[in-house]
Amino acid sequence: MKVTAVEAIPFEIPFRRPFAFASGVATVADHVLVRIRTDEGIVGHAEAPPRPYTYGESQTSIVAAVHDWFSPALAGADPFGRERISATLARIVGNPTAKAAVDIALWDIIGQAVGQPVQSLLGGYAASVRVTHMLGLGSPSEMVDDACRVRDTYGISAFKVKVGRTPFGVDVEAVRALRSALGDDVEMYLDANRGWRGDDALRALAALADAGIAMLEEPGPADDILTRRRTVERSPVPIVGDESCTRAAEVARLLLDGSCDMVSIKTSRTGFTDSAKIVGLCEGLGAGVVLGNQVDGAVATLAGVTFAAAHRATAERPAELSAFVDMADDLLTEPPEIVDGRMAPPQQPGLGITIDDDKVDRYRVDR
């Protein structure tokens, strides 16, 4: 089997409400559908969600990278030769989300070719995983309303709360309001998206000592080395690295120099192949992992739950898989389902992705 074509289709689907966080705000899912075709008629799919304020990629740059560089490099390649393909694409610096989508689409092809769900090929650990919902920045009452809506609709009992505003007083107020409204049985952790400075994170955690916070993600810039190490040393909860450790080498560096305790893995950023390597690295170093979310659409969500359920390390914690519910639509004939706060990976061969071509025509922006 050989790759015959690699396509990148830019599309835009609006959010039902803006999703705000310390490093940006998303009002529309301006993502890219990556489609890889083979000479045997098998087609693999993946979704690339650009985050220019985090990785420097845009919808335009992802399309250009796939069309101008990746498609010619993959022409005639064997989809099973993932490491060889990865080495070829590594010659081009950057473009992590575009590369991740190519890797995921190749796994989709492999699963279809051997008649197995990718979740089984990756490890097949769990039948389903608990879902974490991300709460964007807003007033305390707005964030409480959002959390209660998601809890009551989907049965979700784990929330990642966006913080990182300066001064941090409104963040503390919002977290306290959420804990009061949701009760003690709901798991909550915080994500400052590098928004706090100096010892803001330590002061905020001290003010929230009785709020039952499970962990804190990206409290401040990782290149503020001394502050970051001081935060890790003095924090009462684990500090999670995310956008500061996007590759295995960065993960090793931050864990070994004491700049984080845990790592957020995002399949939209490192695909399946490199994400699995990061899981193994963290297990070897004794560091925990959590399956993160890049404000993924429904296609990327299927990839996320596939990976989360495949590995013990990612399946043991709630996974961030619900961003798609705040989008006005999706590209699938049937969107992912969240039942009683859990999501199951597709059991069809490959990733179980069935694209609705009418929706692609409706939302694509290159025509």
Side-chain angles (χ1 to χ4, degrees), residues 194 218 220-225 228 244 254 259:
R194 301 161 292 156
E218 292 293 355
D223 53 5
D224 189 354
I225 298 172
R228 186 68 173 258
S244 62
L254 262 70
S259 292

Side-chain angles (χ1 to χ4, degrees), residues 48-67:
R51 296 292 168 256
Y53 30 74
T54 305
Y55 313 116
E57 289 177 291
S58 67
Q59 186 183 64
T60 300
S61 75
I62 290 174
V63 171
V66 172
H67 281 165

Side-chain angles (χ1 to χ4, degrees), residues 141 158 243 290:
S141 62
E243 56 262 46
V290 60

Side-chain angles (χ1 to χ4, degrees), residues 9 17 68 93 108 146 179 194 198 205 208 214 219 225 229 253 264:
I9 303 171
R17 63 177 64 81
D68 297 347
V93 176
D108 188 18
D146 189 22
R179 177 56 74 198
R194 301 161 292 156
L205 288 172
L208 292 169
I225 298 172
R229 288 179 181 171
R253 185 162 58 248
S264 175

Side-chain angles (χ1 to χ4, degrees), residues 105-121:
L106 289 171
W107 273 101
D108 188 18
I109 290 171
I110 292 168
Q112 293 178 64
V114 300
Q116 292 291 320
V118 173
Q119 190 255 0
S120 296
L121 299 179

